[in-house]
Amino acid sequence: MPKIGSLGRCILTAMLGVLLLTGGTVAQANVSETTKAKPTIVLLHGAFADGSSWSGVTSRLQSDGYQVVAAAVPLRGIASDTSYLCGVLAGIPGPKVLVGHSYGGALVSQLADTSGVKSLVYVAAFIPEAGETLGALNSQFPGSELGPDTTTTISYPGGVDLALKPETAQAIFAADIPARQAAVAIAAQRPVAASVFTEPVERTAPAALPKYAVIPTGDHAIAPAAERFMAHRAGARITEVPDASHLVAISRPDAVTKVIERAAR
C-alpha cells in the first residue's frame, strides 16, 4: 500500500469523524443554517503552557456566543502534535477558526487544510513555511531571550525536554503580568520536546486562507521583528499591541479577542 503522509492521515481522520457524527452517512448541511452559524474557535496554546493560558479570551468569546475548544497540545513535536490535533478537529463539526499562540502557530499552519477552517489567527506566534525550523526563525532577528541561559533541560529515556528557568521566565514571557499571577503560571509550566525547535515543518498555510496576526511589541520570547517578518510574508492582517508581553492573551485578552472575532466574521 502507498504511504500516507500526515496530511492524508488528517483528512482520513476528519472523514471518519464526520461519519461517526452523522451515523455513518455524510449529511447534507442546511445552507441557510450553516451560513448563520458562528464558527467554533479552536485555541492552541504554545510551549510551556496549557489551555488555561487562554482563559480570559475563552470567557469573552463564550460570552459573545462562540463555541470554544481550548485544546490540550501534547508538546511532543510538530508532526506528532499535528497528528493528534487532527483527531481533535475531526470531532468539531462546521466552520472553524484556528488560533495559535507561539509554538501553536506552527500547528495552526499545519492544520490549515482541515475541512471547515475559514481563517487562521496567530498570536505572538510562529508562522513558518515548509522546510523551516522554529529555532532558525527565532534566531533570524535579534530580540529573543530564549536560550541555554534561560531554559533547562530534562533528559529521560524517550528524549529531552526544555523548561523555563523560573528566575528569568517572567521577564521573557510575562513582563506585563502581576508577579504573583506570573509565578503561578510559571510553576505550572509544561515542558516541551526540545526537538520542536529543530524539526522542519511540512507545509505552508494556503495563501488564499485569511490570516490575522497579533504582535505584542514587548515580546522577549519571539522577537517582534521576527513576528512582523513572518506575518507580512504570510499576508496576514496585523494588529500590534504596544508593550504587551509574549503572554498577551493573558495580559490583554480584550485586544486578542477582538482580532479573533474579526477573523470569525
Side-chain angles (χ1 to χ4, degrees):
M1 292 180 64
K3 292 184 177 179
I4 300 175
S6 61
L7 176 59
R9 289 194 299 272
C10 192
I11 293 172
L12 289 174
T13 304
M15 290 174 64
L16 176 60
V18 170
L19 290 172
L20 290 173
L21 287 167
T22 57
T25 59
V26 179
Q28 291 290 327
N30 182 300
V31 175
S32 61
E33 291 181 0
T34 302
T35 55
K36 291 180 181 178
K38 288 185 174 182
T40 298
I41 311 299
V42 182
L43 305 172
L44 304 181
H45 62 78
F48 314 112
D50 59 24
S52 67
S53 61
W54 291 111
S55 293
V57 171
T58 297
S59 63
R60 285 162 174 77
L61 289 169
Q62 290 175 336
S63 294
D64 290 339
Y66 290 93
Q67 293 290 326
V68 180
V69 176
V73 179
L75 303 179
R76 297 298 85 202
I78 296 172
S80 175
D81 291 350
T82 298
S83 179
Y84 170 79
L85 291 166
C86 281
V88 174
L89 295 183
I92 304 173
K96 293 171 274 289
V97 174
L98 304 186
V99 185
H101 173 249
S102 193
Y103 162 68
L107 303 177
V108 161
S109 290
Q110 302 314 289
L111 295 162
D113 284 327
T114 303
S115 176
V117 172
K118 63 172 291 180
S119 58
L120 312 175
V121 183
Y122 298 89
V123 179
F126 289 105
I127 314 177
E129 293 189 347
E132 294 181 332
T133 67
L134 306 189
L137 282 169
N138 207 29
S139 63
Q140 190 171 340
F141 297 87
S144 173
E145 297 177 18
L146 275 179
D149 294 335
T150 57
T151 58
T152 185
T153 58
I154 302 171
S155 298
Y156 62 101
V160 178
D161 279 5
L162 292 178
L164 299 172
K165 290 183 178 179
E167 60 269 25
T168 54
Q170 182 176 7
I172 295 173
F173 274 73
D176 61 343
I177 295 174
R180 288 187 179 182
Q181 183 182 4
V184 170
I186 294 164
Q189 67 168 296
R190 292 179 56 220
V192 62
S195 60
V196 304
F197 296 102
T198 57
E199 178 184 353
V201 302
E202 291 185 7
R203 294 184 294 281
T204 303
L209 200 61
K211 303 173 188 67
Y212 299 78
V214 177
I215 299 176
T217 65
D219 195 340
H220 296 291
I222 304 176
E227 293 175 22
R228 291 188 192 99
F229 164 75
M230 291 183 283
H232 280 297
R233 181 179 66 175
R237 302 178 190 179
I238 295 173
T239 298
E240 295 203 2
V241 185
D243 303 320
S245 70
H246 189 64
L247 295 184
V248 61
I250 296 177
S251 64
R252 312 288 179 88
D254 287 329
V256 174
T257 302
K258 183 182 293 186
V259 175
I260 294 172
E261 293 190 350
R262 189 180 309 144
R265 294 191 189 110

